[in-house]
Amino acid sequence: MSPLWTFLPLGLALVFAATPWRFGGLSLSLGLAGLAWVALGGMGWAWGWGAPYLYLLLLGALALGLVPYLPPYLAHHPRKAHLYGLLFPLFLATMAGVALASPGFGFLFLWEGMALLGYLLIALEGPGALVGARAFFLASRLSGIGLYLAFLGHGYLGTDWVWAGLLLGFGVKAALFPFHAWLPQAHPVAISPVSALLSGAMTKLGLLGLYQSQYWFGPPPPWVGWALVLLGLLGAVYALVRGLGEEDLKGALAYSSVENLGLMLSALGAYFLKPSPLLLGAFFLHQVAHALFKGLLFLGAGALEERRISHLGGLFRKAPELGALALWGMGVGAGLPPGPVFLAEWQLYQGFLQGTFLVPLAAGALALVGALALYFYVRLFGLAFLGLPRGEAGLFWTKGMRLGLGTLAGLLLLLAVAPGVVLDPLRVPTYPNGLLLVLLALLAGAFYRGVQRMPHRAYGTWDCGFQPLTPRMQPNGLGFAEPALRLFPFLRLRVGEYPRLEEPLAEVYALLGRAYGRLAALVQTLQSGSLHLYLLLQLLALVVVLGVVLL
């Protein structure tokens, strides 16, 4: 029995095990599936069974984080909670099936099923989520067109056409620039567990598909590698700059996902151009690290009832546990040592430097991405968790949610201490991360004790004739980001009650959406046509077939 058919019955069992009201069966089934996927995926990756098993390990880790988180979260959001409880396991099962499927109609069936379930999970939030759900649906149609072109045209079309279809099909799902806009539109409107799965798991299937395609359809032509490197790095820079002006916390995290995916795509593109274990290590390690820290941050955002960054502040005092977990996740996302993202980016630097034609890209684009990422997360954490509260931000923070975030944070710490879990099967050398973590902890402790022993005096804030510090004196989201945004004039600011940056490519996506709508309307008129129209179409089809046969 193939792995694909092993996991389809598991998906059905997960669906029927989910109880709609108390969610006990949902937690049990997700826990069992998560443990099974972690065990099988870790064993398969360690024994060299292939990249799909690392994805299975990644998916299992996210499922374990959702086990204690989902029951209290869905109980706090009772509207359509039973539908979420039904769709979540099936969505996870289809993603596992896609990872283990072979190229063919079975793969396409599971791919379209995953897209449909993702659309339903986003659209369930109501009318306010329809724009994001439609953007996700349109992106899924573009992805499907590319995969149908590649899968059905293999053997008939040239290699360039097949890889163009693969680049479109898998690249759209992996948020390859400029096909990334669906992700920042869909993530903020979906509930936080759905956002965690979309960013942490589903986008990785696009990366996995591109990697596996070299074995399915043969080595890619050089232009594919160059396209992935250039578009990946360009998308990483663009996403961070655009995210600096994002007011919605989940929207900013979505742009951060585009940045991280861009670095992974550039690593894969460089590997296509010049295979290197370092590039492969950066590609896979970054995927697992991103799934864990972005799942942690999206689930953490689900505890906040107010997500506008300029209306938050002082959350660290209100919820120190949430603040500490968010600080760990954002520190890893910013690429600070000894986090696994730092190691992945360091390996990407080394892999770029091994190919002399990529040295300028390594020296320029990656350095810029690193600086912008640090600025990006300082803005998020500083405005949301530090300073004074700018308003009454409601907080829903239960024991189960703490346990869910703690699980992902613990797995992220384990990956930071032992990155060899991912890198050893690739024969990629790494520095002793655990020893570095101990040294940093000792240095931090010594610095803290030294500061505590220093003599200090306390003064009142603004003790020179001004009033005490008030929330209005603190910078808002755009005010904090303005010095960096001035360096990138391609972004336009829309002024109003809530100033925001405009998406430069929004008109292009709107045009594509209108074109697809007109095409769908045309197909709908054909479906509801008269009998005479159907007979005419059959006659025309017969004439075409006869012409092809005779020629």
Side-chain angles (χ1 to χ4, degrees):
M1 180 180 290
S2 69
L4 173 60
W5 299 112
T6 301
F7 279 93
L8 284 180
L10 176 60
L12 295 175
L14 292 176
V15 173
F16 290 112
T19 55
W21 300 114
R22 295 180 61 85
F23 304 108
L26 176 62
S27 293
L28 177 62
S29 55
L30 284 182
L32 292 175
L35 290 174
W37 287 337
V38 167
L40 182 59
M43 181 175 61
W45 178 250
W47 291 357
W49 292 354
Y53 289 89
L54 181 64
Y55 180 85
L56 209 61
L57 173 66
L58 177 156
L59 193 62
L62 285 175
L64 291 178
L66 288 174
V67 168
Y69 186 94
L70 273 178
Y73 184 89
L74 293 180
H76 187 64
H77 300 77
R79 188 170 60 91
K80 302 176 182 177
H82 60 288
L83 291 177
Y84 282 116
L86 184 72
L87 294 175
F88 261 110
L90 191 56
F91 186 51
L92 286 164
T94 54
M95 287 192 288
V98 168
L100 296 170
S102 300
F105 286 107
F107 181 94
L108 294 174
F109 174 78
L110 287 169
W111 186 267
E112 295 293 353
M114 177 189 68
L116 177 60
L117 290 168
Y119 168 78
L120 292 175
L121 284 169
I122 298 171
L124 275 178
E125 270 298 272
L130 288 181
V131 174
R134 288 168 182 164
F136 177 85
F137 183 80
L138 177 60
S140 299
R141 296 304 91 231
L142 288 175
S143 175
I145 289 171
L147 292 186
Y148 278 108
L149 173 66
F151 281 49
L152 301 181
H154 180 55
Y156 301 96
L157 301 175
T159 303
D160 288 333
W161 281 104
V162 170
W163 272 96
L166 293 171
L167 196 63
L168 177 64
F170 291 124
V172 168
K173 198 64 71 177
L176 175 66
F177 183 87
F179 305 108
H180 67 283
W182 67 269
L183 197 147
Q185 293 185 57
H187 280 49
V189 298
I191 63 173
S192 290
V194 173
S195 299
L197 288 180
L198 290 176
S199 178
M202 195 195 70
T203 55
K204 307 301 185 298
L205 285 172
L207 299 170
L208 178 63
L210 284 171
Y211 176 78
Q212 291 289 92
S213 293
Q214 62 182 324
Y215 305 113
W216 295 343
F217 304 102
W223 69 265
V224 174
W226 282 111
L228 289 175
V229 170
L230 296 175
L231 293 178
L233 291 175
L234 179 61
V237 174
Y238 173 83
L240 285 173
V241 175
R242 177 61 183 82
L244 282 172
E246 181 61 40
E247 179 67 12
D248 187 282
L249 177 60
K250 287 176 64 177
L253 293 176
Y255 278 108
S256 169
S257 294
V258 177
E259 173 253 331
N260 283 271
L261 290 165
L263 293 183
M264 299 173 213
L265 288 164
S266 66
L268 181 61
Y271 176 77
F272 284 161
L273 291 172
K274 186 176 181 180
S276 166
L278 286 169
L279 292 169
L280 212 55
F283 176 67
F284 285 117
L285 181 62
H286 203 155
Q287 287 188 62
V288 180
H290 179 257
L292 293 174
F293 88 78
K294 196 51 65 70
L296 168 65
L297 294 178
F298 270 118
L299 294 183
L304 306 177
E305 296 181 1
E306 172 62 74
R307 297 205 314 264
R308 290 174 296 179
I309 296 173
S310 297
H311 288 68
L312 296 173
L315 287 176
F316 202 98
R317 293 183 180 180
K318 191 174 183 179
E321 292 178 341
L322 177 61
L325 291 168
L327 180 60
W328 169 234
M330 291 185 184
V332 172
L336 297 178
V341 173
F342 169 79
L343 179 55
E345 293 181 354
W346 175 243
Q347 289 174 340
L348 183 57
Y349 269 110
Q350 295 180 79
F352 271 141
L353 292 172
Q354 284 184 355
T356 55
F357 52 87
L358 294 174
V359 169
L361 292 175
L366 284 183
L368 180 59
V369 168
L372 287 174
L374 183 59
Y375 190 35
F376 179 92
Y377 280 109
V378 166
R379 170 183 178 265
L380 281 190
F381 187 81
L383 294 179
F385 288 91
L386 303 181
L388 297 176
R390 295 174 176 83
E392 294 294 330
L395 189 67
F396 180 71
W397 185 231
T398 67
K399 183 178 180 180
M401 297 171 73
R402 293 188 189 97
L403 183 58
L405 269 70
T407 300
L408 294 178
L411 293 173
L412 193 58
L413 179 61
L414 177 63
L415 184 64
V417 173
V421 173
V422 177
L423 298 177
D424 285 350
L426 299 172
R427 305 292 190 270
V428 177
T430 146
Y431 56 79
N433 233 31
L435 179 61
L436 178 60
L437 186 63
V438 172
L439 291 176
L440 287 175
L442 292 176
L443 287 175
F447 178 76
Y448 178 76
R449 288 178 62 86
V451 170
Q452 289 294 103
R453 291 177 179 179
M454 291 176 60
H456 63 277
R457 291 178 291 179
Y459 297 92
T461 306
W462 295 104
D463 204 19
C464 53
F466 293 94
Q467 295 180 353
L469 182 65
T470 65
R472 290 180 59 85
M473 297 178 182
Q474 300 177 139
N476 60 14
L478 280 176
F480 190 94
E482 183 183 5
L485 293 177
R486 285 182 177 273
L487 302 175
F488 302 92
F490 59 84
L491 294 173
R492 293 178 297 172
L493 176 64
R494 176 175 290 180
V495 181
E497 182 180 359
Y498 302 110
R500 62 184 181 87
L501 292 176
E502 291 184 347
E503 175 66 59
L505 299 173
E507 290 298 324
V508 178
Y509 301 124
L511 179 62
L512 290 175
R514 288 193 294 269
Y516 184 83
R518 290 172 183 170
L519 178 61
L522 177 61
V523 173
Q524 188 175 11
T525 58
L526 293 177
Q527 290 176 342
S528 58
S530 64
L531 179 61
H532 297 84
L533 178 60
Y534 293 149
L535 292 174
L536 177 61
L537 290 176
Q538 290 180 4
L539 177 62
L540 292 176
L542 181 60
V543 170
V544 171
V545 171
L546 289 175
V548 171
V549 171
L550 293 177
L551 291 177

